Amino acid sequence: MTTQPPVPPQAGSPAHRWRHRLFGSLLGQLRLAAFTSVFLGFTAASAFTLLINQQCLLRQQQAGQRLTAGSLTLSLDQSSSDPSPGNASHLRQELDRLSVKERFFWVQHSDGSLVVPRPSSSQTTAFSGLVEQSMAAPKGPWPGPSITPLLIGTDYRLVKDLEGNSYLSHPLHRSAEGSQLWVAEDISPNITTLRTILLGLLGVWILCLVLTLVAISILTRRLLQPLRDLHLMAAGVTSESLATSHLKLERAPLEVAELAGSFNDLLDRLALAWSQQRHFVGLVSHELRNPLMIIGGYLRRLQRRGQNLDPEQMRALATTEAETHRITRMLNDLLDLSRSESGQLQMVLTPVAVDEVLTTACDLARSQLSRPLLLTLPKEAAEGPIKAVAETDRLQQVLLNLIENADKYSPPGRPINLDLSQGAGTLCISVQDQGIGIAPEDIPKVFDRFHRGRNAIEHERGSGLGLSVVKLLVEAMGGSIDVESEIAVGSRFHIHLPAA
């Protein structure tokens, strides 16, 4: 049976977004680094505090044991140096006198024999059983999961009586002859105390971590606020505002202020380069337009007087004139864009008979197109001109650009429809083709400068300026334009102008 590997989270899944927000942003990384550092610091401090408390308790315990067993150590030294019956009896008496339930002593001689205290009638602890457990218990870490070694250390031997009390045993004194005095003390209260300290430390640790996490979140957000402000300011910079856009940050850190200064210097250089580019485009377009107009005039004259030219030469002249006309329109588009960016695009808006402009534009387009061009006017056009606030030449340029665009991306023979309709205070001009259509992902960018859809690039060459100029001129006349399109069905552009 084979197991499938785990599927990684998709790019748009909540887990992926959460992980990207945590690890992909500077704010998330700073918070993670700070919280990890604080977490490790609190953990180390808590463990160190617990270790200090444990060592203090053990030292206090050992000091009390040595103080209690002072006479017993003297008896052990005497008995070891002079193993007479009197000294052995005295050692036994000291063991019986000083050994109680909470703390008892015994002696291990160098030959391995043990001297264990005898419990009194009031004592229920079996000293001999605990002594045997202590001598047989392993020294070092205890097997199985337990927090006891963490609380009392690993240099002692731990045993338990029948009541479940924990005794900590270890050698307390060693005579010159090798006899050892052992002590076993009930450390159940100490373990309870250490556990209480541990629980208290755990509560303080959790509280401090929560408060620290909140403080880190607030501080990191406040520290990175200048960068967020820098991002918002930079996002608002456009080609039109390059010369006047400068980032100004108050109370920003030194590094962010230096970054803002460098960005302002970059804006100045871009503004200068953009200004020079606009000037160059405007100058070249203006200088090329006059020679092209002259060339177009001579081409039209040759065609009118071309009785001695064969059909192939006439087609060549017609193609040359069409290309000259296309380049002239492209130069006009560049000039309009350049004038708009420099604030020199002037519009003289007056009441314009839109139906007459539509008729003129259709007549001009029919002289160059080999496909049907259908114009539909409302019934009100028979009673008088339908007027909108616009400029005649610019509106005609917009219509010719849209008709040329429809012709460029439509199969031969299919008609182009132009409709004029009236609304509440507006006029709507629609230009509809039956061409290749626009992909849904390209519709939001169809009016962007130099943008061309993938199917448009594969179908026809172009500059990507026509529709951007159309939008520029329509908005300069106080109107708006939008588009509806479907692949392999066609596109429909709607021009909305304020009625006169």
Side-chain angles (χ1 to χ4, degrees):
M1 181 177 179
T2 59
T3 58
Q4 297 294 332
V7 180
Q10 299 297 321
S13 63
H16 181 273
R17 290 196 298 269
W18 179 86
R19 187 172 59 184
H20 178 73
R21 184 178 180 86
L22 180 62
F23 300 104
S25 65
L26 180 59
L27 178 63
Q29 293 178 7
L30 283 177
R31 286 177 176 174
L32 183 62
F35 183 71
T36 302
S37 301
V38 171
F39 176 83
L40 295 178
F42 270 112
T43 302
S46 301
F48 183 73
T49 302
L50 188 64
L51 180 63
I52 292 296
N53 288 324
Q54 172 242 340
Q55 293 298 323
C56 289
L57 287 175
L58 289 179
R59 289 193 184 98
Q60 292 177 1
Q61 187 183 60
Q62 289 181 359
Q65 292 170 354
R66 293 185 185 279
L67 181 63
T68 302
S71 60
L72 188 55
T73 57
L74 293 177
S75 298
L76 176 61
D77 292 338
Q78 292 176 359
S79 175
S80 299
S81 59
D82 182 14
S84 62
N87 288 336
S89 176
H90 184 265
L91 177 62
R92 167 73 67 174
Q93 292 176 0
E94 287 297 315
L95 286 175
D96 293 340
R97 183 177 68 85
L98 296 177
S99 296
V100 294
K101 178 182 178 181
E102 292 77 15
R103 177 191 295 165
F104 63 92
F105 303 88
W106 73 92
V107 174
Q108 180 185 25
H109 291 298
S110 56
D111 57 0
S113 60
L114 300 176
V115 181
V116 181
R118 294 184 294 267
S120 62
S121 59
S122 61
Q123 295 173 344
T124 58
T125 303
F127 290 150
S128 58
L130 290 175
V131 169
E132 292 176 358
Q133 292 184 49
S134 298
M135 303 309 296
K139 183 179 180 180
W142 294 271
S146 175
I147 65 169
T148 305
L150 176 64
L151 299 175
I152 64 174
T154 57
D155 294 334
Y156 299 84
R157 301 183 183 184
L158 185 67
V159 294
K160 289 188 177 183
D161 62 6
L162 298 177
E163 299 176 1
N165 298 319
S166 299
Y167 285 81
L168 192 65
S169 62
H170 62 95
L172 185 64
H173 176 72
R174 186 183 182 90
S175 66
E177 286 74 17
S179 297
Q180 288 183 325
L181 175 63
W182 282 74
V183 60
E185 185 168 354
D186 185 4
I187 62 168
S188 298
N190 290 352
I191 292 179
T192 302
T193 301
L194 287 175
R195 285 177 176 171
T196 303
I197 294 174
L198 177 61
L199 292 176
L201 283 175
L202 183 62
V204 174
W205 181 73
I206 293 175
L207 178 62
C208 290
L209 280 182
V210 172
L211 295 177
T212 303
L213 179 59
V214 174
I216 287 174
S217 300
I218 296 174
L219 290 177
T220 51
R221 180 175 292 276
R222 184 170 298 177
L223 287 174
L224 293 181
Q225 186 61 40
L227 284 179
R228 192 175 291 106
D229 295 340
L230 181 63
H231 164 70
L232 294 177
M233 293 179 184
V237 176
T238 62
S239 59
E240 291 79 9
S241 62
L242 275 175
T244 58
S245 295
H246 281 81
L247 307 183
K248 297 179 181 179
L249 299 177
E250 298 180 359
R251 299 187 302 272
L254 178 61
E255 295 80 3
V256 179
E258 292 176 350
L259 178 61
S262 301
F263 192 83
N264 288 332
D265 294 340
L266 176 62
L267 288 179
D268 292 336
R269 294 194 295 271
L270 287 175
L272 178 61
W274 186 248
S275 176
Q276 292 174 346
Q277 177 185 344
R278 288 201 308 264
H279 179 71
F280 173 77
V281 170
L283 180 62
V284 171
S285 301
H286 186 271
E287 292 297 327
L288 289 178
R289 187 171 59 169
N290 290 336
L292 286 172
M293 291 178 64
I294 296 173
I295 293 173
Y298 278 114
L299 288 172
R300 287 190 294 272
R301 184 180 302 177
L302 282 174
Q303 291 180 36
R304 287 196 300 267
R305 299 180 180 180
Q307 294 84 0
N308 58 340
L309 299 178
D310 57 39
E312 184 64 29
Q313 292 173 331
M314 290 297 294
R315 281 194 299 271
L317 286 175
T319 301
T320 306
E321 182 189 8
E323 290 299 313
T324 304
H325 183 64
R326 186 178 69 85
I327 296 175
T328 302
R329 286 200 307 273
M330 187 184 301
L331 291 175
N332 289 333
D333 292 343
L334 287 173
L335 276 174
D336 288 336
L337 290 174
S338 178
R339 289 167 181 162
S340 174
E341 291 164 353
S342 60
Q344 298 177 358
L345 181 62
Q346 299 178 356
M347 287 280 184
V348 181
L349 301 181
T350 58
V352 173
V354 179
D355 52 338
E356 297 178 2
V357 176
L358 274 169
T359 302
T360 303
C362 289
D363 291 339
L364 291 174
R366 288 191 184 100
S367 63
Q368 299 178 3
L369 300 182
S370 59
R371 69 174 69 247
L373 190 60
L374 307 178
L375 174 61
T376 303
L377 298 176
K379 296 179 180 179
E380 293 80 2
E383 302 174 359
I386 300 176
K387 295 185 178 182
V389 178
E391 184 176 308
T392 302
D393 293 339
R394 295 300 189 181
L395 180 56
Q396 182 173 297
Q397 180 182 349
V398 166
L399 294 173
L400 291 176
N401 277 357
L402 289 177
I403 293 172
E404 179 187 2
N405 185 78
D407 176 66
K408 186 186 301 183
Y409 299 111
S410 298
R414 294 187 180 179
I416 299 174
N417 297 285
L418 281 81
D419 297 324
L420 176 61
S421 60
Q422 290 181 297
T426 60
L427 296 181
C428 179
I429 304 173
S430 299
V431 181
Q432 183 178 8
D433 61 55
Q434 300 178 20
I436 61 175
I438 305 171
E441 61 270 16
D442 288 327
I443 289 181
K445 305 176 183 177
V446 72
F447 296 107
D448 291 350
R449 195 173 304 177
F450 302 111
H451 175 79
R452 301 188 68 214
R454 181 175 303 177
N455 58 341
I457 295 175
E458 296 172 353
H459 184 272
E460 187 77 23
R461 62 190 179 93
S463 62
L465 287 176
L467 293 179
S468 62
V469 173
V470 166
K471 180 176 172 43
L472 171 69
L473 296 179
V474 170
E475 292 180 348
M477 291 185 288
S480 62
I481 184 171
D482 56 72
V483 60
E484 300 174 1
S485 185
E486 186 177 349
I487 292 293
V489 175
S491 303
R492 187 181 184 93
F493 290 85
H494 305 280
I495 302 172
H496 304 276
L497 295 174

